[in-house]
C-alpha cells in the first residue's frame, strides 16, 4: 500500500463502462514526512476522499476487491483509495 | 491508473493471436501538468483514442477485463487505454 | 520479496472494511547493508512486527494469502509483512 | 506492453520444468526512437524472434496466456515476447 | 524474468507458515554484462542455487507456480529463483 495526497480529479466522458459513476482522483504519492515521492497516478475513490486529504492507496487486483463479486469481474480499475489517513505514528 | 498521451502506434504482423485486430498505441505517461513522466509503453486501445489525445491507462489483469470472459482467458494484453481525458480538475 | 525496516504506523479511521483491525505499518525498504532503498510503503503486519525491526515484505496477491480463503476474497491489502529478519548471512 | 530489442539469450540447464524447451531471450526495453530505457530483462519467446529484432513484451499473467490452460497452470514465466515490430507510426 | 546474482541469505524465525523450510536468498539483479542494476531483493530458491551463482528470477504469481496446487493457494512468496544461468549468448 502507498501513502498519497489527493491533488485533483480526472474527467473522462468516453471510458470503459466499469468506470461510469466512479470518482477518478489524481493522487501524488508521499512519504511519512509528507514529501512527494515517485510520480502522480489516478485512483478510484472508495471511501469519500476529497482534494487535499492524505490517503491510503492499493494497486492491482486488491483495488478491485472493494467491489461486489459480479461487478469486480468486469472492473478495469487497478488503483483505489481505500483509506483516509488521520495521522502517522513514528 | 495512469494519465498518458497517445504519441503513435506499433505495427506488428507476426504476433500472438489475441493481438490480431487490436490497435496497439504508443503512449507517453504524463502528470496532470501534462509533463512527460517515466518512459513510453504500448497499450491496447479500447475506447477509440487517437494520436495526440490524453488518455487513462490501466495495467495488469484490469487491462483484460475489457474483453468478454472466454476471449479474456487467452488475451496476452497487460496494458489498455480505458478512457479519453476531457480535463483535469485541480 | 523485499527487506525493510518498520519506521512507524498509519492511523486511518475511514477505510475499507477489510482493513479494520489490521496493523498498517510504515516500512522503509533496505538492502542487506541496511541502507535505505527506493521509497516508503505501507504494509499490513501479519507476524507481530514492531517499530525498528527488520522485516520481510511481499507484494500483490501473495500479501492476501496470509488470510483465510473467504476473507481473502474481499481483502484489499497489496503488501504484507510476512517475516521478522534475525540476520543476513553474506 | 513494452517495446524492446532482443540482444541475446540465456542458457540455463538447471531450471524449472516449465522452462524446458523455451527460448529465453535477453531483451533491452526501448522507446519509439529506439533509445534504450530502463534495464535488461529476460523474456520467453513465443513468436520466433531473433537477436537484433524489435519486439513487443508483456509481463505478469498475460505472459502465461500464450500457453494452453493445463500447461499455463504450472508455468513460471512472467515475461514473454508476443510480437515482432514491423514499424512505429508517429 | 530477471537475471541476478545470489549474494547471501536471510534468516527469519518468526515468519508465515508458507515460508518454513524455504531457502530465502538475497539476490542482486544484474544485466548481461554482469553489472548490478536496480536494488537487492529476496527470492525463494527452487533449484538449489548457491551464493555467487547467476540465476533467473520470476516475480508475482509465477513465483508460486513452482509449488503444488494446494500449497500454492497459501503461499505468500512473490519472487523465486527458477534457473541457474550457465552462460549469456550475445
Amino acid at each position: 500500500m502507498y501513502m498519497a495526497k489527493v491533488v485533483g480529479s480526472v474527467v473522462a466522458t468516453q471510458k470503459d463502462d466499469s468506470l461510469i459513476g466512479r470518482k477518478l482522483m489524481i493522487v501524488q504519492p508521499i512519504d511519512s514526512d509528507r514529501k512527494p515521492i515517485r510520480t502522480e497516478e489516478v485512483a478510484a475513490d472508495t471511501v469519500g476522499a476529497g482534494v487535499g486529504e492524505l490517503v491510503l492507496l492499493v494497486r492491482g487486483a486488491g483495488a478491485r476487491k472493494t467491489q461486489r463479486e459480479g461487478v469486480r469481474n468486469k472492473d478495469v480499475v487497478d488503483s483505489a483509495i481505500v483509506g483516509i489517513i488521520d495521522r502517522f505514528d513514528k
Side-chain angles (χ1 to χ4, degrees), chain A residues 10-27:
Chain A
V10 168
V11 176
T13 326
Q14 211 165 326
K15 61 194 170 202
D16 188 84
D17 291 350
S18 68
L19 298 178
I20 294 170
R22 309 281 288 272
K23 273 171 68 191
L24 303 177
M25 312 304 279
I26 303 167
V27 291

Side-chain angles (χ1 to χ4, degrees), chain A residues 22-40:
Chain A
R22 309 281 288 272
K23 273 171 68 191
L24 303 177
M25 312 304 279
I26 303 167
V27 291
Q28 167 59 59
I30 58 168
D31 64 20
S32 58
D33 295 325
R34 303 174 188 228
K35 284 204 311 290
I37 54 176
R38 297 194 305 279
T39 52
E40 282 179 354

